[in-house]
Amino acid sequence: MKAVIIGGGIIGLSSAYYLSEAGWEVEVLEAGDFADNCSYGNLGMVVPSHFVPLAAPGIVAQGVRWMFNSSSPFYIKPGLNSKLINWGLKFLRSANAKQAEAAARPLLELNLFSKSLYEELATQLNFGLKKKGILMYFKTESVAEEENHLAEKARAMGLDAIYLNRQELLHLEPEQQPDVLGAVHYRCDAHLHPNAVMREMINILKQKGVILSAGKPLQKIVRDQDQIREIIAGGESIKADLFVMASGSWLPETMKQAGISIPLMPGKGYSFTGNEGGPSLRIPAILCEARVAITPMAGQLRFGGTMELAGFQHKVNMNRVRGIVESVPNYFPAMKLEMPQEKEVWYGFRPCSPDGLPYIGFAKNSRNLLVAGGHAMMGLSLGPATGKLIAELAQSKSTSVDISAFDPNRFS
């Protein structure tokens, strides 16, 4: 039995790994060269703590305040875009307390499952997995109240989360001396080096005999009633028993070729690595008010953030980067962060579904087409779990966690 996976990010590679483990012959098709996608530039956080979906209560009001400021954490490029409008209407309907509550347990279980799989993978692959948790820093009383309420909910769901005051944080991060009211330490979380995990996954897939085909953009899908008969990629006809669509932010375009509509928007984010020789950070940090994340990585620090809904804009908006740089000293005065040069800034497109939940499962009216996408900022965190679930579905097995909330056909 042969499986073809469209997309060579962490979701596609994880799907290839677990399908290969299950005995499938696997080929991964990548439009690029497997060397530069969202899986490389992210902050490397593995986050059971992130059980609140992107479409959360209050995010709309906050987003409206931010949306037309080009240096804010959230930005929508003004203009009439039918895809964005349709996505936005679905997002508005999803951003309520009832749906966020219903999403919490499925997201938590998916993240916990993925963390356990990363722990298994770390016994044979070297990607710097560290289980130090993450710290959610806050400077204002209103955000302190929100974060402590969220921590209470996390503890009620079984997560290890504690409140730390400023003095306790000074002890935990002595080189940084954080200037904050406090933080919540999610000791259940972990982090790794994303570049290393991608490199290690590619190496082990080659050892397993998985074919990694670069420069093979999907061009056409040929259907035969309720199944995919063949695809055309890079000018080549490819037949298989199973097809897995793991095409990231390009999922709507690739699924459209199969006659299926899936709502998704690319949310551009930025990251850069620096602070070499500066004060170190022991534990990954999220600066709550600024929506900025920092992860210690290979002796340096990686900084990232922002959400820019402007379609596929292939250029760096340095105002967005400046927003990240200028926010950091408000939390860590000892960190004298230099504005990076444009060539040092990485950007990528996060695949955002309207309700903030991934798409995992069989596509409508397609018995051999599986969808694996829409993970937004949690693609790396949820990669192994998604890959394992894809392999279980391919074998008609019961899934390790309930995936009904992730039905790819829920908006159709």
Side-chain angles (χ1 to χ4, degrees):
M1 298 286 281
K2 180 178 179 178
V4 168
I5 298 166
I6 295 95
I10 189 64
I11 304 297
L13 297 185
S14 296
S15 299
Y17 177 85
Y18 289 106
L19 282 166
S20 177
E21 287 275 286
W24 288 73
E25 176 190 345
V26 183
E27 181 174 3
V28 183
L29 307 178
E30 167 61 31
D33 61 1
F34 289 94
D36 184 27
N37 52 46
C38 257
S39 305
Y40 284 91
N42 67 67
L43 276 289
M45 294 180 178
V46 181
V47 283
S49 62
H50 284 36
F51 54 81
V52 177
L54 181 63
I59 192 65
V60 174
Q62 180 69 74
V64 169
R65 290 194 290 271
W66 279 335
M67 63 188 290
F68 298 114
N69 178 353
S70 65
S71 64
S72 71
F74 177 72
Y75 174 64
I76 296 179
K77 185 179 181 180
L80 291 175
N81 181 323
S82 60
K83 288 182 181 178
L84 178 58
I85 291 169
N86 290 334
W87 182 92
L89 291 172
K90 291 180 174 67
F91 183 90
L92 286 170
R93 287 194 290 269
S94 300
N96 60 71
K98 182 180 179 181
Q99 292 208 191
E101 187 70 29
R105 179 59 66 179
L107 269 181
L108 173 60
E109 290 181 354
L110 191 62
N111 260 303
L112 287 171
F113 181 43
S114 212
K115 183 187 175 187
S116 70
L117 292 172
Y118 266 127
E119 290 169 345
E120 287 180 14
L121 288 169
T123 63
Q124 56 178 315
L125 306 179
N126 180 22
F127 46 81
L129 181 66
K130 294 181 172 61
K131 293 182 278 187
K132 296 183 178 181
I134 64 168
L135 283 162
M136 305 285 291
Y137 289 91
F138 40 80
K139 291 181 67 71
T140 60
E141 292 288 353
S142 60
V143 176
E145 185 177 345
E146 291 172 12
E147 290 301 320
N148 279 304
H149 174 72
L150 197 60
E152 287 177 11
K153 185 174 180 180
R155 287 191 291 271
M157 296 174 75
L159 295 181
D160 184 358
I162 60 168
Y163 168 79
L164 299 174
N165 61 32
R166 185 169 183 271
Q167 286 304 121
E168 291 168 320
L169 289 168
L170 293 177
H171 176 72
L172 205 57
E173 293 285 6
E175 290 191 41
Q176 291 294 348
Q177 299 286 296
D179 182 15
V180 293
L181 288 179
V184 172
H185 190 186
Y186 285 95
R187 296 185 292 196
C188 51
D189 289 358
H191 72 283
L192 51 80
H193 194 322
N195 305 62
V197 78
M198 292 296 289
R199 182 180 63 246
E200 292 279 293
M201 286 292 284
I202 287 170
N203 288 340
I204 197 168
L205 289 176
K206 288 178 178 177
Q207 292 170 22
K208 286 177 170 291
V210 171
I211 300 169
L212 302 177
S213 299
K216 290 283 184 71
L218 179 65
Q219 295 165 308
K220 186 179 180 181
I221 293 176
V222 181
R223 291 190 65 133
D224 183 6
Q225 296 183 351
D226 65 346
Q227 65 178 330
I228 307 300
R229 192 173 76 232
E230 66 175 319
I231 64 171
I232 310 298
E236 180 186 347
S237 171
I238 302 169
K239 291 181 169 64
D241 303 285
L242 176 75
F243 296 88
V244 180
M245 205 66 78
S247 46
S249 287
W250 290 264
L251 188 65
E253 286 71 24
T254 54
M255 290 299 292
K256 187 178 180 180
Q257 295 188 49
I260 297 166
S261 175
I262 283 195
L264 185 143
M265 282 298 293
K268 186 159 72 170
Y270 297 92
S271 74
F272 56 93
T273 305
N275 197 54
E276 194 165 1
S280 69
L281 195 68
R282 295 180 177 179
I283 300 168
I286 293 180
L287 316 181
C288 292
E289 292 88 351
R291 303 294 174 101
V292 166
I294 312 171
T295 303
M297 198 173 291
Q300 298 190 76
L301 297 178
R302 179 170 289 179
F303 303 84
T306 84
M307 176 67 81
E308 181 179 323
L309 293 175
F312 291 106
Q313 295 284 325
H314 290 278
K315 61 181 181 179
V316 174
N317 183 336
M318 292 304 285
N319 280 338
R320 318 282 298 138
V321 179
R322 185 172 291 105
I324 297 172
V325 171
E326 292 179 351
S327 70
V328 172
N330 295 331
Y331 295 80
F332 300 121
M335 200 177 289
K336 309 300 183 187
L337 195 58
E338 297 283 336
M339 185 74 179
Q341 296 180 37
E342 185 173 330
K343 65 181 181 181
E344 298 171 328
V345 178
W346 178 94
Y347 69 87
F349 299 100
R350 309 181 189 100
C352 300
S353 69
D355 58 3
L357 298 177
Y359 298 118
I360 305 171
F362 281 98
K364 184 170 67 173
N365 302 326
S366 299
R367 59 187 175 92
N368 70 336
L369 176 60
L370 280 162
V371 182
H375 295 74
M377 289 86 75
M378 292 188 288
L380 184 122
S381 184
L382 297 175
T386 303
K388 181 73 170 177
L389 292 167
I390 289 295
E392 290 172 344
L393 289 166
Q395 298 169 89
S396 302
K397 287 186 174 181
S398 297
T399 54
S400 296
V401 296
D402 182 7
I403 61 169
S404 55
F406 313 129
D407 182 2
N409 310 302
R410 62 186 180 271
F411 292 104
S412 60

